[in-house]
Amino acid sequence: MVSLRRLPRGEPVSYGATWTAPQDTTVATLGIGYADGVSCTVQGKAQVLLGGARRPLVGRVTMDFVMVDLEDTAPSLRVGDVATVLGRDREEQITLDEFAGWAGTIDYEVLTRLSARATRDYVNG
């Protein structure tokens, strides 16, 4: 997570103001975008894991960033915390099939879209 920003109700997020905060909230910005392989088609559908909980992506996917609505339920999150796009965080998990469904594609296409600059952690098991 590269930034946290407090937004008042009605404040738009990202290009084209396609999402506005339905209430006062905190939005996290993650340093991953379509240049890393996150399809623009996941806008308004995808989630990530932060602090062991599912959090919705909001606004448009940009070249280098996505925004996440924390809905003021994550007071312990800090800049630098790890967000999980694919995989497990505590009891929650986002599977490749689930992400592919949000993107309207198949799991193999999601994997082949991942660019070399996307961090990968391989876990045996």
Side-chain angles (χ1 to χ4, degrees):
M1 181 175 10
V2 297
S3 78
L4 287 169
R5 195 170 122 207
R6 189 83 183 126
L7 295 181
R9 179 179 177 268
E11 183 76 15
V13 169
S14 195
Y15 301 129
T18 60
W19 183 86
T20 57
Q23 70 267 339
D24 292 354
T25 192
T26 301
V27 170
T29 301
L30 309 181
I32 187 171
Y34 62 75
D36 303 292
V38 177
S39 173
C40 294
T41 61
V42 302
Q43 172 182 320
K45 302 174 217 166
Q47 301 172 342
V48 297
L49 303 177
L50 273 166
R54 287 175 173 263
R55 314 284 181 185
L57 292 187
V58 294
R60 290 199 172 148
V61 175
T62 73
M63 182 185 298
D64 298 311
F65 302 105
V66 295
M67 280 59 67
V68 180
D69 185 9
L70 299 181
E71 302 168 338
D72 287 346
T73 60
S76 64
L77 290 176
R78 302 284 180 256
V79 169
D81 286 353
V82 172
T84 302
V85 177
L86 292 169
R88 180 176 298 281
D89 182 355
R90 301 178 199 167
E91 300 303 313
E92 286 288 345
Q93 179 178 0
I94 295 176
T95 67
L96 189 54
D97 284 336
E98 185 175 20
F99 199 90
W102 294 327
T105 189
I106 61 172
D107 53 0
Y108 294 112
E109 187 175 352
V110 172
L111 288 177
T112 58
R113 283 183 181 171
L114 294 176
S115 74
R117 70 183 206 171
T119 301
R120 293 158 171 82
D121 291 324
Y122 298 96
V123 179
N124 186 10

